[in-house]
Amino acid sequence: MPPAAAADGGKSARSPSNGAARRDVPVRRAATTEASCNAARVLVVEDHPLMIDGICLCLEAEGYEVAAAPLESRESVLEKAAHLRPDVVLLDLELGEAVGDAAALVVPLVRLGATVVVVSGSSEAARIGALVEKGAAGFVPKTCSFDAVVGAVAAAVARRPLMSEEERRHLRAELRAAQRRNGALERLSPREAEILTDLVDPAALRQDSAPRLHIGATAVETGAARIFRNDEITVDALLASACLPMLFPAVEIDGIAYWDGAYSGNPPTVPLLADGPRDLVLTRAQSTMRRGVPTKPADIVSRIEEIAFQSVVEAELAHLPASVGLTEYSANATLSGLPPESRAKADRGFIETLFDAGRSAVALAEVA
């Protein structure tokens, strides 16, 4: 089908010299169907000119507004996305040194409201799984026809799932296997890694119905707090948020090493206050007091760490707006009597004791 005239005064959006799509000019086509008449926007993040040309032609024929991202840098891609506000982003895995790892683009693109579809010649399940975990909705191999790409875009615009739960589980399993070999999960036992993987479902956290969740970690080199929100939470983020440096090596995420979030925010209240709540409920997981003065080096270090964590939360609470009501629950009577080493205790009976102490503390507070 011959290309229709572009909406910018009839100027062609293709380079006459080599036929490759210009990467700085959106392409607009008249809608040909009811489904595409809303002028859904598609951003193509791809480094192969012929692939760009083919995808754009097929999508334009269906009435989509299409643009190809400039690949000068990662920032140039995100600037284009911020300007276009695409409904769908077709993202290649291999984008060259200037842009770097395509996985780092997924979260900011999803935050802009785009549905990210991976279109790549690589079929390595662990790599695809990493992008899906970060928020990509699906994967189309380049060996498929352009019709498959158009179908994926149509499904994404219609908010239909691009892959089955079985396919997601397979990709997650492959990703976890790779992480156990190379990443943060290797420090866990196989059973621990299996349990943690089963408990964390990043796709469920990205659903509109999911409760808002904020996980804190501390950048080792800068001391800055990092807040992982629903669309960023992965197994590595959870491991980072609980990484006590005396027990575990730092957890690296996107090239940055992290320790436990309690060193910078315990818990961080800024994201909780962003929506202007009237009330804040705080459940303290450690005692506000420990009787006696430690004399052994290990006990002293442990108490110093407790005080450091405590001072962080007190500083957060001191800056709460007066308009926010604060309700605290703390099982001080139980927690203050526990030895420091109990923090590493995880047997069922002990955990149930803590749950019971927490329920009793809440019941007493409500009676009072």
Side-chain angles (χ1 to χ4, degrees), residues 15-156:
S15 168
S17 58
N18 58 15
R22 280 173 52 185
R23 294 180 172 173
D24 57 348
V25 180
V27 178
R28 294 178 172 81
R29 298 291 171 185
T32 58
T33 66
E34 181 70 22
S36 62
C37 66
N38 291 327
R41 296 176 296 276
V42 181
L43 181 65
V44 181
V45 186
E46 164 68 54
D47 66 342
H48 196 291
L50 292 178
M51 192 71 183
I52 296 171
D53 209 44
I55 290 175
C56 288
L57 277 172
C58 292
L59 291 175
E60 291 159 11
E62 296 298 321
Y64 294 103
E65 178 183 331
V66 189
L71 301 182
E72 285 84 7
S73 65
R74 184 182 305 172
E75 290 72 24
S76 68
V77 174
L78 296 178
E79 286 175 6
K80 183 66 176 179
H83 174 72
L84 182 66
R85 293 285 173 169
D87 300 285
V88 181
V89 174
L90 299 177
L91 179 66
D92 188 14
L93 278 175
E94 307 293 344
L95 296 172
E97 293 183 3
V99 176
D101 186 8
L105 291 169
V106 176
V107 170
L109 289 171
V110 171
R111 281 183 177 173
L112 288 172
T115 298
V116 177
V117 181
V118 180
V119 181
S120 178
S122 172
S123 58
E124 186 180 344
R127 291 190 68 191
I128 299 165
L131 272 72
V132 170
E133 181 163 84
K134 287 179 178 291
F139 167 68
V140 179
K142 285 186 177 178
T143 51
C144 287
S145 67
F146 285 124
D147 285 344
V149 177
V150 174
V153 170

Side-chain angles (χ1 to χ4, degrees), residues 301-356:
V301 170
S302 178
R303 183 56 182 150
I304 288 173
E305 189 171 74
E306 287 178 341
I307 293 172
F309 286 179
Q310 186 66 28
S311 64
V312 172
V313 69
E314 296 302 334
E316 292 270 352
L317 297 179
H319 290 87
L320 281 181
S323 59
V324 177
L326 176 64
T327 301
E328 292 189 48
Y329 295 115
S330 176
N332 266 328
T334 299
L335 296 176
S336 61
L338 297 175
E341 59 269 21
S342 66
R343 285 179 294 179
K345 195 174 180 181
D347 64 85
R348 185 182 184 89
F350 179 67
I351 298 299
E352 289 179 346
T353 298
L354 295 180
F355 271 109
D356 290 340

Side-chain angles (χ1 to χ4, degrees), residues 1 22 80 86 96 141 165 167 236 245 252 257 264 274 284 289 361:
M1 176 182 291
R22 280 173 52 185
K80 183 66 176 179
E165 284 303 314
E167 290 171 320
D236 280 354
E252 187 172 303
S264 55
R284 292 184 182 266
M289 179 180 178

